[in-house]
Structures are given as structure tokens and as C-alpha cells.
Amino acid sequence: NAGVMQNPRHLVRRRGQEARLRCSPMKGHSHVYWYRQLPEEGLKFMVYLQKENIIDESGMPKERFSAEFPKEGPSILRIQQVVRGDSAAYFCASSPVYRGFEQYFGPGTRLTVT
Amino acid sequence: KQEVTQIPAALSVPEGENLVLNCSFTDSAIYNLQWFRQDPGKGLTSLLLIQSSQREQTSGRLNASLDKSSGRSTLYIAASQPGDSATYLCAVTLLTGANSKLTFGKGITLSVRP
């Protein structure tokens, strides 16, 4: 059973470009979470999704950021018009149900904005 | 608002020493608490999950305890080894609401000297 998969592992974008981060949850997991780890800061929750539903996006910046988890395919975190402050490690986690079970994390995508 | 604190931020010990890593949280209405390990530039590995009804969990040389009423958890590492060098993060899931997002501490960076 493969773990949570994220790609790309490293992504370099110039200011103003779009960044697309992908996350495939573990087999049998229908709940996906995105977290961001800024340099010298802890991991912060961004968004929680189930298939075709955004359950909680309270941690998402109001502009430029969006997330989806379609019926088929991976979850996507999209950042439009990236700025240097978006440089961070973005982690995806999945769990089989929304509460009470461990969240399993992917290896992360390290985004660098030049 | 739930806040998770881990002090100290860094710790250096000689190989073989038993050690305790501390974690405190402000809202005792938690559903569970997880301890993670993060190696430099890598993702998170779940070490132990303690449900709110439990007092402790053990895995190999690791033992995690939970005291909900005082808002504290400890991770005990027995007979530390250089391979234990990493950042250790604790995270809690709140009981209230439908969300099961994790709130993380900033972590304790452990260095075990040979």
C-alpha cells in the first residue's frame, strides 16, 4: 500500500506564475488535508477536503490560493500569481475518516519563488 | 484558539541518554494528540497517536503520555541513538466542530551526539 504521494517534490516558479501541487492520498483514504511550513515556522493548516467537497478552508489565504479534490484524480493545491512569500514546504496528509484516525503525511512539495 | 507549545526549541544529548520531550496545549478539549518526527528536508513520520481517552502509547523505545486536564504530553525516548536526531513535532486535533485539522507545535530539534 503506497503512502501519500506528492508531486512535484521541488517546484521553482518566477513571481507571477502559477504553481500546481498534487497530492494522491493513501488507498482507501477519502480525506485530504493541506498544510504549509514556512521557514522558521511551524506547520499551519490550510484546507480540509473530501471528494468533491471543501470542508474547511479557514487556513487558506483569501486570494490566489485554491484547492480541489475531484471525484477522480489527485487533490490539487493551486497558487496563482505566486510571490516570494509563498516559498515554503507544502504538505498533504490523508486519513480514512475525518476524526480519530492518524493523518499520514506525504513527503511535501518545496516551492521556491524566484 | 488552540495553541501548542514545545520547549525547548532545541536539545543536545549524548548517546545512550533517556530523554523527555514536552508538549503543552491550551485547550484541553482535544480528540487526539500525535507525535511526529521530521528529518531535515523531509516529510513527517507519525510516531504515536494518543486518543483523548488514553493515557499513554508505546512503540519500541518511544513512550508518549497524555494528561488532558493539565494540557500536557510527553514523549519519552529511551537509550537515545544518533539516528534519533531529528525534529519532533506534537500536534492536536480539537474535539469540537467537524474539522479534524491538526494544530502543531513548532517542534523540538534533537541532536544525539555519538
Side-chain angles (χ1 to χ4, degrees):
Chain A
N1 186 7
V4 178
M5 315 223 356
Q6 289 188 251
N7 65 81
R9 295 290 303 278
H10 300 274
L11 182 62
V12 179
R13 285 286 179 266
R14 285 197 287 268
R15 278 179 297 169
Q17 291 186 318
E18 178 179 287
R20 279 193 176 214
L21 288 62
R22 293 175 182 76
C23 169
S24 296
M26 287 181 69
K27 187 176 180 181
H29 288 193
S30 56
H31 301 255
V32 166
Y33 310 80
W34 286 93
Y35 296 85
R36 177 166 68 172
Q37 188 173 39
L38 290 164
E40 308 304 322
E41 291 193 22
L43 277 134
K44 303 287 187 188
F45 166 80
M46 298 182 73
V47 62
Y48 162 41
L49 310 106
Q50 296 177 27
K51 289 279 187 183
E52 301 184 283
N53 277 308
I54 297 175
I55 307 302
D56 184 344
E57 56 183 348
S58 60
M60 288 274 272
K62 293 285 186 276
E63 298 177 351
R64 302 187 297 107
F65 285 72
S66 63
E68 62 176 4
F69 189 16
K71 187 175 180 181
E72 301 290 337
S75 174
I76 306 286
L77 178 67
R78 181 189 301 170
I79 312 172
Q80 295 177 301
Q81 299 174 348
V82 297
V83 300
R84 287 222 171 106
D86 296 332
S87 295
Y90 292 82
F91 292 96
C92 167
S94 72
S95 70
V97 294
Y98 81 99
R99 183 177 286 177
F101 286 80
E102 287 179 77
Q103 293 188 22
Y104 295 85
F105 280 74
T109 293
R110 278 150 186 85
L111 172 66
T112 302
V113 179
T114 62
Chain B
K1 179 188 172 188
Q2 177 73 277
E3 291 185 3
V4 180
T5 303
Q6 294 184 257
I7 295 174
L11 187 62
S12 180
V13 301
E15 182 177 4
E17 190 162 299
N18 301 325
L19 57 102
V20 173
L21 306 181
N22 294 306
C23 171
S24 61
F25 45 94
T26 53
D27 188 339
S28 61
I30 64 167
Y31 199 84
N32 60 37
L33 182 146
Q34 278 185 262
W35 281 94
F36 295 89
R37 169 184 171 138
Q38 185 176 27
D39 292 281
K42 305 288 186 184
L44 278 70
T45 300
S46 180
L47 298 173
L48 289 163
L49 169 72
I50 310 178
Q51 302 290 355
S52 61
S53 58
Q54 297 174 320
R55 296 299 299 267
E56 65 178 321
Q57 283 284 350
T58 297
S59 176
R61 294 183 294 111
L62 305 179
N63 175 277
S65 67
L66 174 64
D67 184 343
K68 250 189 13 171
S69 60
S70 67
R72 295 186 181 186
S73 176
T74 61
L75 179 66
Y76 175 82
I77 303 177
S80 58
Q81 303 169 358
D84 294 330
S85 298
T87 297
Y88 291 82
L89 299 157
C90 78
V92 298
T93 303
L94 278 182
L95 181 61
T96 55
N99 199 335
S100 57
K101 67 182 181 184
L102 289 168
T103 301
F104 282 86
K106 289 189 177 181
I108 298 173
T109 299
L110 172 66
S111 174
V112 180
R113 308 187 300 271

Tab-separated table of all heavy atoms in Angstrom, chain B residues 19-76:
chain	number	residue	atom	x	y	z
B	19	LEU	N	15.568	10.491	27.470
B	19	LEU	CA	15.158	11.882	27.443
B	19	LEU	C	13.653	12.033	27.284
B	19	LEU	O	12.961	11.112	26.842
B	19	LEU	CB	15.899	12.639	26.330
B	19	LEU	CG	15.749	12.092	24.924
B	19	LEU	CD1	14.762	12.931	24.145
B	19	LEU	CD2	17.100	12.105	24.200
B	20	VAL	N	13.191	13.216	27.679
B	20	VAL	CA	11.770	13.531	27.652
B	20	VAL	C	11.565	14.816	26.868
B	20	VAL	O	12.213	15.834	27.144
B	20	VAL	CB	11.213	13.699	29.079
B	20	VAL	CG1	9.769	14.189	29.030
B	20	VAL	CG2	11.305	12.389	29.839
B	21	LEU	N	10.675	14.767	25.895
B	21	LEU	CA	10.307	15.951	25.136
B	21	LEU	C	8.910	16.375	25.576
B	21	LEU	O	8.017	15.538	25.679
B	21	LEU	CB	10.312	15.651	23.636
B	21	LEU	CG	11.611	15.054	23.076
B	21	LEU	CD1	11.478	14.846	21.573
B	21	LEU	CD2	12.805	15.935	23.388
B	22	ASN	N	8.752	17.656	25.821
B	22	ASN	CA	7.492	18.161	26.354
B	22	ASN	C	6.651	18.876	25.314
B	22	ASN	O	7.181	19.518	24.392
B	22	ASN	CB	7.769	19.125	27.504
B	22	ASN	CG	8.388	18.422	28.690
B	22	ASN	OD1	7.848	17.441	29.179
B	22	ASN	ND2	9.530	18.908	29.134
B	23	CYS	N	5.348	18.802	25.508
B	23	CYS	CA	4.392	19.476	24.644
B	23	CYS	C	3.243	19.952	25.518
B	23	CYS	O	2.759	19.196	26.363
B	23	CYS	CB	3.890	18.510	23.571
B	23	CYS	SG	2.509	19.106	22.573
B	24	SER	N	2.828	21.194	25.339
B	24	SER	CA	1.672	21.684	26.090
B	24	SER	C	0.676	22.317	25.135
B	24	SER	O	1.068	22.845	24.080
B	24	SER	CB	2.101	22.689	27.165
B	24	SER	OG	2.723	23.818	26.566
B	25	PHE	N	-0.601	22.263	25.494
B	25	PHE	CA	-1.649	22.822	24.647
B	25	PHE	C	-2.650	23.547	25.524
B	25	PHE	O	-2.847	23.209	26.700
B	25	PHE	CB	-2.335	21.735	23.798
B	25	PHE	CG	-2.688	20.481	24.544
B	25	PHE	CD1	-3.961	20.327	25.102
B	25	PHE	CD2	-1.778	19.453	24.687
B	25	PHE	CE1	-4.291	19.177	25.780
B	25	PHE	CE2	-2.106	18.291	25.364
B	25	PHE	CZ	-3.358	18.156	25.921
B	26	THR	N	-3.278	24.571	24.969
B	26	THR	CA	-4.092	25.476	25.784
B	26	THR	C	-5.536	25.017	25.933
B	26	THR	O	-6.173	25.317	26.936
B	26	THR	CB	-4.081	26.886	25.172
B	26	THR	OG1	-4.473	26.812	23.788
B	26	THR	CG2	-2.685	27.505	25.266
B	27	ASP	N	-6.071	24.312	24.968
B	27	ASP	CA	-7.459	23.874	25.011
B	27	ASP	C	-7.483	22.368	25.270
B	27	ASP	O	-7.025	21.585	24.433
B	27	ASP	CB	-8.153	24.194	23.685
B	27	ASP	CG	-9.654	23.945	23.709
B	27	ASP	OD1	-10.131	23.173	24.575
B	27	ASP	OD2	-10.347	24.526	22.870
B	28	SER	N	-8.011	21.977	26.421
B	28	SER	CA	-7.963	20.557	26.801
B	28	SER	C	-9.018	19.712	26.089
B	28	SER	O	-9.024	18.495	26.208
B	28	SER	CB	-8.132	20.411	28.309
B	28	SER	OG	-9.389	20.920	28.697
B	29	ALA	N	-9.897	20.354	25.327
B	29	ALA	CA	-10.943	19.614	24.619
B	29	ALA	C	-10.392	19.055	23.316
B	29	ALA	O	-10.833	19.428	22.224
B	29	ALA	CB	-12.136	20.528	24.346
B	30	ILE	N	-9.452	18.150	23.450
B	30	ILE	CA	-8.827	17.581	22.257
B	30	ILE	C	-9.408	16.206	21.980
B	30	ILE	O	-9.904	15.522	22.876
B	30	ILE	CB	-7.297	17.472	22.398
B	30	ILE	CG1	-6.915	16.498	23.511
B	30	ILE	CG2	-6.683	18.838	22.640
B	30	ILE	CD1	-5.450	16.108	23.501
B	31	TYR	N	-9.338	15.811	20.709
B	31	TYR	CA	-9.795	14.481	20.317
B	31	TYR	C	-8.647	13.486	20.374
B	31	TYR	O	-8.811	12.353	20.779
B	31	TYR	CB	-10.394	14.541	18.911
B	31	TYR	CG	-11.283	13.369	18.615
B	31	TYR	CD1	-12.616	13.367	19.014
B	31	TYR	CD2	-10.790	12.253	17.934
B	31	TYR	CE1	-13.429	12.284	18.752
B	31	TYR	CE2	-11.603	11.173	17.673
B	31	TYR	CZ	-12.923	11.193	18.085
B	31	TYR	OH	-13.728	10.125	17.828
B	32	ASN	N	-7.510	13.924	19.896
B	32	ASN	CA	-6.317	13.094	19.996
B	32	ASN	C	-5.064	13.954	19.871
B	32	ASN	O	-5.148	15.155	19.596
B	32	ASN	CB	-6.311	11.964	18.963
B	32	ASN	CG	-6.364	12.467	17.530
B	32	ASN	OD1	-5.780	13.487	17.178
B	32	ASN	ND2	-7.068	11.738	16.672
B	33	LEU	N	-3.939	13.329	20.105
B	33	LEU	CA	-2.647	14.010	20.004
B	33	LEU	C	-1.695	13.076	19.272
B	33	LEU	O	-1.657	11.868	19.547
B	33	LEU	CB	-2.106	14.353	21.399
B	33	LEU	CG	-0.774	15.107	21.474
B	33	LEU	CD1	-0.781	16.070	22.666
B	33	LEU	CD2	0.413	14.181	21.547
B	34	GLN	N	-0.946	13.641	18.327
B	34	GLN	CA	0.025	12.852	17.583
B	34	GLN	C	1.419	13.405	17.785
B	34	GLN	O	1.609	14.636	17.820
B	34	GLN	CB	-0.284	12.892	16.068
B	34	GLN	CG	-1.340	11.919	15.614
B	34	GLN	CD	-1.526	11.900	14.093
B	34	GLN	OE1	-2.413	12.517	13.547
B	34	GLN	NE2	-0.656	11.169	13.408
B	35	TRP	N	2.380	12.533	17.849
B	35	TRP	CA	3.789	12.899	17.806
B	35	TRP	C	4.345	12.478	16.446
B	35	TRP	O	4.103	11.359	15.986
B	35	TRP	CB	4.569	12.216	18.923
B	35	TRP	CG	4.427	12.872	20.261
B	35	TRP	CD1	3.530	12.556	21.241
B	35	TRP	CD2	5.220	13.940	20.767
B	35	TRP	NE1	3.714	13.375	22.334
B	35	TRP	CE2	4.753	14.234	22.071
B	35	TRP	CE3	6.282	14.693	20.259
B	35	TRP	CZ2	5.305	15.232	22.875
B	35	TRP	CZ3	6.834	15.692	21.051
B	35	TRP	CH2	6.348	15.956	22.345
B	36	PHE	N	5.101	13.411	15.854
B	36	PHE	CA	5.716	13.172	14.552
B	36	PHE	C	7.218	13.380	14.645
B	36	PHE	O	7.706	14.120	15.490
B	36	PHE	CB	5.178	14.153	13.490
B	36	PHE	CG	3.726	14.008	13.161
B	36	PHE	CD1	2.770	14.710	13.872
B	36	PHE	CD2	3.311	13.183	12.123
B	36	PHE	CE1	1.421	14.595	13.561
B	36	PHE	CE2	1.971	13.069	11.800
B	36	PHE	CZ	1.024	13.772	12.523
B	37	ARG	N	7.887	12.781	13.697
B	37	ARG	CA	9.311	13.021	13.503
B	37	ARG	C	9.491	13.615	12.108
B	37	ARG	O	8.861	13.155	11.142
B	37	ARG	CB	10.072	11.699	13.610
B	37	ARG	CG	11.525	11.792	13.174
B	37	ARG	CD	12.192	10.450	13.198
B	37	ARG	NE	13.510	10.567	12.582
B	37	ARG	CZ	14.599	9.986	13.063
B	37	ARG	NH1	14.525	9.223	14.143
B	37	ARG	NH2	15.760	10.147	12.456
B	38	GLN	N	10.357	14.641	12.020
B	38	GLN	CA	10.672	15.234	10.723
B	38	GLN	C	12.183	15.342	10.572
B	38	GLN	O	12.839	16.000	11.374
B	38	GLN	CB	10.024	16.609	10.556
B	38	GLN	CG	10.226	17.198	9.156
B	38	GLN	CD	9.520	18.516	8.945
B	38	GLN	OE1	9.283	19.273	9.882
B	38	GLN	NE2	9.143	18.809	7.697
B	39	ASP	N	12.714	14.685	9.552
B	39	ASP	CA	14.122	14.811	9.245
B	39	ASP	C	14.317	15.998	8.306
B	39	ASP	O	13.396	16.362	7.563
B	39	ASP	CB	14.639	13.522	8.607
B	39	ASP	CG	14.649	12.373	9.594
B	39	ASP	OD1	15.579	12.326	10.411
B	39	ASP	OD2	13.716	11.550	9.584
B	40	PRO	N	15.511	16.605	8.312
B	40	PRO	CA	15.737	17.826	7.512
B	40	PRO	C	15.355	17.626	6.054
B	40	PRO	O	15.792	16.676	5.401
B	40	PRO	CB	17.237	18.062	7.680
B	40	PRO	CG	17.581	17.435	8.984
B	40	PRO	CD	16.702	16.220	9.093
B	41	GLY	N	14.529	18.525	5.546
B	41	GLY	CA	14.126	18.478	4.144
B	41	GLY	C	13.184	17.353	3.790
B	41	GLY	O	12.948	17.090	2.605
B	42	LYS	N	12.648	16.687	4.799
B	42	LYS	CA	11.783	15.528	4.546
B	42	LYS	C	10.374	15.780	5.050
B	42	LYS	O	10.069	16.813	5.638
B	42	LYS	CB	12.353	14.288	5.256
B	42	LYS	CG	13.773	13.963	4.896
B	42	LYS	CD	13.893	13.404	3.496
B	42	LYS	CE	15.318	12.951	3.221
B	42	LYS	NZ	15.465	12.485	1.827
B	43	GLY	N	9.515	14.781	4.831
B	43	GLY	CA	8.147	14.859	5.315
B	43	GLY	C	8.049	14.439	6.766
B	43	GLY	O	9.050	14.282	7.461
B	44	LEU	N	6.818	14.241	7.215
B	44	LEU	CA	6.559	13.877	8.600
B	44	LEU	C	6.271	12.384	8.707
B	44	LEU	O	5.516	11.830	7.908
B	44	LEU	CB	5.348	14.640	9.130
B	44	LEU	CG	5.571	16.065	9.608
B	44	LEU	CD1	5.864	16.988	8.456
B	44	LEU	CD2	4.361	16.557	10.383
B	45	THR	N	6.854	11.779	9.722
B	45	THR	CA	6.574	10.384	10.019
B	45	THR	C	5.812	10.328	11.336
B	45	THR	O	6.283	10.859	12.346
B	45	THR	CB	7.881	9.581	10.155
B	45	THR	OG1	8.607	9.670	8.927
B	45	THR	CG2	7.584	8.128	10.473
B	46	SER	N	4.643	9.726	11.315
B	46	SER	CA	3.864	9.608	12.541
B	46	SER	C	4.517	8.589	13.468
B	46	SER	O	4.836	7.469	13.059
B	46	SER	CB	2.438	9.169	12.204
B	46	SER	OG	1.667	9.043	13.380
B	47	LEU	N	4.725	8.991	14.705
B	47	LEU	CA	5.358	8.107	15.688
B	47	LEU	C	4.311	7.434	16.582
B	47	LEU	O	4.319	6.220	16.754
B	47	LEU	CB	6.341	8.900	16.558
B	47	LEU	CG	7.518	9.537	15.824
B	47	LEU	CD1	8.313	10.426	16.777
B	47	LEU	CD2	8.416	8.483	15.213
B	48	LEU	N	3.459	8.257	17.173
B	48	LEU	CA	2.465	7.732	18.108
B	48	LEU	C	1.219	8.600	18.044
B	48	LEU	O	1.310	9.817	17.875
B	48	LEU	CB	3.007	7.731	19.541
B	48	LEU	CG	4.105	6.709	19.854
B	48	LEU	CD1	4.830	7.084	21.138
B	48	LEU	CD2	3.517	5.316	19.961
B	49	LEU	N	0.084	7.953	18.203
B	49	LEU	CA	-1.204	8.650	18.280
B	49	LEU	C	-1.851	8.266	19.603
B	49	LEU	O	-1.968	7.070	19.923
B	49	LEU	CB	-2.112	8.228	17.122
B	49	LEU	CG	-3.580	8.656	17.195
B	49	LEU	CD1	-3.694	10.146	16.946
B	49	LEU	CD2	-4.434	7.889	16.201
B	50	ILE	N	-2.244	9.260	20.383
B	50	ILE	CA	-2.927	9.001	21.649
B	50	ILE	C	-4.330	9.579	21.554
B	50	ILE	O	-4.506	10.784	21.333
B	50	ILE	CB	-2.205	9.648	22.841
B	50	ILE	CG1	-0.728	9.320	22.836
B	50	ILE	CG2	-2.843	9.190	24.142
B	50	ILE	CD1	0.025	9.986	23.977
B	51	GLN	N	-5.321	8.730	21.725
B	51	GLN	CA	-6.702	9.212	21.767
B	51	GLN	C	-6.938	9.897	23.113
B	51	GLN	O	-6.248	9.621	24.099
B	51	GLN	CB	-7.685	8.056	21.594
B	51	GLN	CG	-7.509	7.265	20.305
B	51	GLN	CD	-7.910	8.049	19.069
B	51	GLN	OE1	-8.420	9.171	19.163
B	51	GLN	NE2	-7.670	7.479	17.897
B	52	SER	N	-7.932	10.773	23.160
B	52	SER	CA	-8.170	11.565	24.371
B	52	SER	C	-8.523	10.683	25.568
B	52	SER	O	-8.312	11.074	26.721
B	52	SER	CB	-9.277	12.583	24.138
B	52	SER	OG	-10.489	11.937	23.815
B	53	SER	N	-9.029	9.497	25.310
B	53	SER	CA	-9.409	8.593	26.394
B	53	SER	C	-8.235	7.771	26.914
B	53	SER	O	-8.361	7.053	27.901
B	53	SER	CB	-10.510	7.641	25.917
B	53	SER	OG	-10.058	6.916	24.789
B	54	GLN	N	-7.092	7.892	26.226
B	54	GLN	CA	-5.927	7.107	26.616
B	54	GLN	C	-4.957	7.950	27.430
B	54	GLN	O	-4.946	9.175	27.345
B	54	GLN	CB	-5.225	6.565	25.355
B	54	GLN	CG	-6.091	5.624	24.542
B	54	GLN	CD	-5.430	5.217	23.244
B	54	GLN	OE1	-4.802	6.036	22.570
B	54	GLN	NE2	-5.582	3.951	22.882
B	55	ARG	N	-4.107	7.276	28.186
B	55	ARG	CA	-3.110	7.980	28.985
B	55	ARG	C	-1.720	7.870	28.356
B	55	ARG	O	-0.883	8.749	28.559
B	55	ARG	CB	-3.059	7.422	30.403
B	55	ARG	CG	-4.330	7.611	31.193
B	55	ARG	CD	-4.661	9.072	31.359
B	55	ARG	NE	-3.636	9.821	32.073
B	55	ARG	CZ	-3.646	10.019	33.384
B	55	ARG	NH1	-4.599	9.507	34.128
B	55	ARG	NH2	-2.697	10.723	33.958
B	56	GLU	N	-1.477	6.774	27.640
B	56	GLU	CA	-0.165	6.631	27.028
B	56	GLU	C	-0.196	5.624	25.895
B	56	GLU	O	-1.130	4.815	25.774
B	56	GLU	CB	0.886	6.236	28.062
B	56	GLU	CG	0.686	4.869	28.689
B	56	GLU	CD	1.812	4.567	29.674
B	56	GLU	OE1	2.975	4.908	29.396
B	56	GLU	OE2	1.517	3.985	30.718
B	57	GLN	N	0.850	5.726	25.061
B	57	GLN	CA	1.059	4.782	23.976
B	57	GLN	C	2.550	4.492	23.902
B	57	GLN	O	3.380	5.359	24.172
B	57	GLN	CB	0.587	5.362	22.633
B	57	GLN	CG	-0.904	5.361	22.414
B	57	GLN	CD	-1.439	3.991	22.067
B	57	GLN	OE1	-0.687	3.051	21.810
B	57	GLN	NE2	-2.753	3.866	22.056
B	58	THR	N	2.858	3.262	23.497
B	58	THR	CA	4.265	2.850	23.428
B	58	THR	C	4.539	2.226	22.075
B	58	THR	O	3.707	1.492	21.534
B	58	THR	CB	4.579	1.838	24.545
B	58	THR	OG1	4.382	2.480	25.808
B	58	THR	CG2	6.017	1.369	24.445
B	59	SER	N	5.742	2.523	21.568
B	59	SER	CA	6.211	1.880	20.349
B	59	SER	C	7.723	1.775	20.444
B	59	SER	O	8.433	2.770	20.353
B	59	SER	CB	5.817	2.698	19.111
B	59	SER	OG	6.349	2.121	17.936
B	60	GLY	N	8.205	0.564	20.660
B	60	GLY	CA	9.643	0.366	20.762
B	60	GLY	C	10.247	1.167	21.900
B	60	GLY	O	9.815	1.050	23.052
B	61	ARG	N	11.224	2.003	21.572
B	61	ARG	CA	11.879	2.829	22.604
B	61	ARG	C	11.126	4.119	22.911
B	61	ARG	O	11.584	4.941	23.710
B	61	ARG	CB	13.305	3.171	22.141
B	61	ARG	CG	14.249	1.973	22.039
B	61	ARG	CD	15.662	2.405	21.645
B	61	ARG	NE	15.709	2.957	20.294
B	61	ARG	CZ	15.936	4.238	20.018
B	61	ARG	NH1	16.128	5.108	21.002
B	61	ARG	NH2	15.988	4.658	18.779
B	62	LEU	N	9.988	4.303	22.276
B	62	LEU	CA	9.217	5.524	22.459
B	62	LEU	C	8.000	5.272	23.332
B	62	LEU	O	7.327	4.251	23.202
B	62	LEU	CB	8.745	6.064	21.101
B	62	LEU	CG	9.804	6.323	20.042
B	62	LEU	CD1	9.144	6.826	18.765
B	62	LEU	CD2	10.837	7.311	20.526
B	63	ASN	N	7.744	6.240	24.209
B	63	ASN	CA	6.534	6.198	25.029
B	63	ASN	C	5.981	7.606	25.105
B	63	ASN	O	6.697	8.544	25.463
B	63	ASN	CB	6.838	5.666	26.423
B	63	ASN	CG	5.622	5.719	27.336
B	63	ASN	OD1	5.326	6.764	27.920
B	63	ASN	ND2	4.911	4.618	27.450
B	64	ALA	N	4.708	7.749	24.752
B	64	ALA	CA	4.072	9.058	24.822
B	64	ALA	C	2.967	9.009	25.866
B	64	ALA	O	2.205	8.044	25.920
B	64	ALA	CB	3.506	9.461	23.466
B	65	SER	N	2.900	10.040	26.678
B	65	SER	CA	1.842	10.131	27.682
B	65	SER	C	1.000	11.365	27.421
B	65	SER	O	1.446	12.317	26.775
B	65	SER	CB	2.452	10.199	29.076
B	65	SER	OG	3.152	11.424	29.232
B	66	LEU	N	-0.210	11.329	27.928
B	66	LEU	CA	-1.140	12.440	27.736
B	66	LEU	C	-1.851	12.735	29.046
B	66	LEU	O	-2.419	11.833	29.670
B	66	LEU	CB	-2.165	12.100	26.652
B	66	LEU	CG	-3.295	13.110	26.433
B	66	LEU	CD1	-2.740	14.437	25.936
B	66	LEU	CD2	-4.323	12.558	25.448
B	67	ASP	N	-1.815	13.996	29.458
B	67	ASP	CA	-2.587	14.473	30.602
B	67	ASP	C	-3.467	15.603	30.088
B	67	ASP	O	-3.038	16.765	30.022
B	67	ASP	CB	-1.659	14.950	31.710
B	67	ASP	CG	-2.430	15.364	32.953
B	67	ASP	OD1	-3.650	15.597	32.859
B	67	ASP	OD2	-1.822	15.458	34.028
B	68	LYS	N	-4.681	15.248	29.720
B	68	LYS	CA	-5.577	16.234	29.103
B	68	LYS	C	-5.908	17.374	30.047
B	68	LYS	O	-5.947	18.529	29.657
B	68	LYS	CB	-6.881	15.539	28.677
B	68	LYS	CG	-7.042	15.414	27.210
B	68	LYS	CD	-8.386	14.944	26.742
B	68	LYS	CE	-9.495	14.926	27.721
B	68	LYS	NZ	-10.804	14.655	27.095
B	69	SER	N	-6.147	17.043	31.307
B	69	SER	CA	-6.599	18.067	32.245
B	69	SER	C	-5.569	19.168	32.434
B	69	SER	O	-5.922	20.334	32.630
B	69	SER	CB	-6.953	17.433	33.591
B	69	SER	OG	-5.821	16.792	34.125
B	70	SER	N	-4.299	18.797	32.381
B	70	SER	CA	-3.258	19.812	32.534
B	70	SER	C	-2.749	20.321	31.199
B	70	SER	O	-1.883	21.198	31.147
B	70	SER	CB	-2.087	19.268	33.347
B	70	SER	OG	-1.425	18.242	32.632
B	71	GLY	N	-3.255	19.751	30.097
B	71	GLY	CA	-2.845	20.201	28.776
B	71	GLY	C	-1.401	19.862	28.444
B	71	GLY	O	-0.682	20.703	27.883
B	72	ARG	N	-0.985	18.634	28.792
B	72	ARG	CA	0.414	18.286	28.562
B	72	ARG	C	0.559	16.878	27.990
B	72	ARG	O	-0.225	15.979	28.281
B	72	ARG	CB	1.197	18.349	29.861
B	72	ARG	CG	1.281	19.728	30.435
B	72	ARG	CD	2.178	19.789	31.645
B	72	ARG	NE	2.212	21.142	32.167
B	72	ARG	CZ	2.990	21.545	33.145
B	72	ARG	NH1	3.805	20.701	33.700
B	72	ARG	NH2	2.945	22.780	33.549
B	73	SER	N	1.609	16.747	27.185
B	73	SER	CA	2.018	15.440	26.699
B	73	SER	C	3.538	15.374	26.743
B	73	SER	O	4.221	16.402	26.623
B	73	SER	CB	1.537	15.213	25.263
B	73	SER	OG	2.020	13.978	24.760
B	74	THR	N	4.055	14.183	26.959
B	74	THR	CA	5.499	13.992	26.916
B	74	THR	C	5.809	12.827	25.994
B	74	THR	O	5.047	11.854	25.902
B	74	THR	CB	6.089	13.699	28.304
B	74	THR	OG1	5.498	12.499	28.805
B	74	THR	CG2	5.831	14.840	29.273
B	75	LEU	N	6.930	12.948	25.309
B	75	LEU	CA	7.468	11.857	24.505
B	75	LEU	C	8.769	11.426	25.154
B	75	LEU	O	9.709	12.218	25.267
B	75	LEU	CB	7.709	12.295	23.066
B	75	LEU	CG	8.309	11.214	22.141
B	75	LEU	CD1	7.300	10.067	21.935
B	75	LEU	CD2	8.701	11.799	20.785
B	76	TYR	N	8.800	10.193	25.604
B	76	TYR	CA	9.964	9.629	26.270
B	76	TYR	C	10.724	8.775	25.263
B	76	TYR	O	10.133	7.904	24.624
B	76	TYR	CB	9.507	8.796	27.467
B	76	TYR	CG	10.603	8.054	28.177
B	76	TYR	CD1	11.404	8.692	29.119
B	76	TYR	CD2	10.823	6.693	27.922
B	76	TYR	CE1	12.402	7.997	29.786
B	76	TYR	CE2	11.809	6.008	28.582
B	76	TYR	CZ	12.597	6.653	29.523
B	76	TYR	OH	13.586	5.958	30.183
